[in-house]
Amino acid sequence: PQSTVLFSREGLLLGARVAADGQWRFPPSQAPLPQRNLQALLLFEDRHFMHHPGVDPLALARAVWQNLTRGRRVSGASTLSMQVIRLARGPRARTLGEKFREILLALRLERRLTKQEVLRLYATHAPFGGNIVGLEAASWLLFHRAPQHLTWAESALLAVLPNAPSSLHIGRMRQPLLAKRNRLIQRLFRKGLMDQATCRMAQAEPLPPPNGSLPDLAPHLLDSLARQSSQTRLTSTLQIDLQRRLTDKMKSWSPILAGQGVPHAAALIVHNPSGEVLAQVGNTASRQGGASASWVDLSWAPRSSGSLLKPFLYGALLEQGQITPLSLMADVPIRIGAYSPENFDRLYQGALRADLALARSRNIPAVRELQMFGVAPFLALLRSWGVSTLSRNAEDYGLSLILGGGETCLVEMAGLYTLLAQKASTQTVLLPI
């Protein structure tokens, strides 16, 4: 099983969910292994990997000689290909028969896959201690960066960790692990892969904290996409800096809104020309308290539309030629059957131009406009534009539809306003002064 991971449009991690077996195991990446990781890994684990057929005969002969002369198992001479086979077969007894099977399967593996594919398999499935599996998961959990952006010291640490992930756990055996990492850095220096100053700085780098964590910048979007898609590696249109700023802004407003009786809020930032969502906060309520409502993505939750539909009714009437921006609308008390709408401020402005009535969000003119256009035609128009939450018939909504008598969701409303902005940007309307 794989973790579900969500990346920003820049390729930076926005969040992840642990795999079904409790492991942080990122889905395979098609990117080649970064050069520093590759050089550190090959020097530490398998210097002749690029040239042997899956088994290193010289290393195998040396291991046999060492084990025989010392009377115990000192070296296994496992190549990276053999380690991939061992990872695929799971825990097994370390016997000569099992070693022979690993050799045969490693030879077959290298006949069927390229060297890069074998390396990618190893990087995806190598254990890094605890419940961390794979280079990418380890890189983000320990260093909060992709493997391509790791330093020499960080790359060396990730090269030595899979060698003994249980005995050299980053949270328990830090000094032996640091010494092992620094020995590899010295070998990289002697190999000519770094200069002396780089070597000294790499050895001076401290180990990362033992309790690594992953970013969780778009939790509701990640959960929504995970339910909708069978893929586990997801790339969004979100811009990570804008996402951080929106998240911080919503967090700062959350206690203020909660004090006004609004414990939950959501927000979207949409790029009007493309219609792409650049930032999304699904719910300002904290998940830490365990409240189930905090897990609800309010971006899709039906809520009263309030006055959000007024511009679309105004535009529809303009297109039909029933009004112009200068048409006078009556903003006076009105009663239509049993329905007596009121303005928000309980005041009335008399005769008012249609454009000013919209700009000031006057309720009485909006109700008159809906009566003029017709509830059923307006409802059909909204549905044709993609509003899916207005599922009842026109009689159920009545004229209150234009004042929040129907339910809409944030995503669909943002989409409508994006269409409105796109249309406005392509048309120039000259109005008489």
Side-chain angles (χ1 to χ4, degrees), residues 285-349:
S286 174
R287 292 186 172 196
Q288 295 178 355
S292 58
S294 64
W295 293 84
V296 176
D297 186 352
L298 296 183
S299 304
W300 295 97
R303 293 292 184 270
S304 169
S305 63
S307 295
L308 288 174
L309 299 178
K310 290 177 182 176
F312 303 98
L313 175 60
Y314 174 79
L317 286 167
L318 284 180
E319 288 196 344
Q320 285 192 356
Q322 296 193 52
I323 64 170
T324 71
L326 301 182
S327 296
L328 291 179
M329 307 299 297
D331 186 16
V332 297
I334 186 176
R335 183 179 183 88
I336 304 172
Y339 184 47
S340 299
E342 293 180 331
N343 289 319
F344 180 77
D345 57 6
R346 307 290 179 88
L347 300 176
Y348 304 93
Q349 299 182 7

Side-chain angles (χ1 to χ4, degrees), residues 223-243:
D223 292 342
S224 296
L225 292 177
R227 287 191 297 269
Q228 298 167 16
S229 174
S230 59
Q231 297 181 1
T232 51
R233 179 178 286 272
L234 304 166
T235 299
S236 69
T237 59
L238 301 190
Q239 287 184 357
I240 195 160
D241 287 340
L242 202 56
Q243 180 67 17

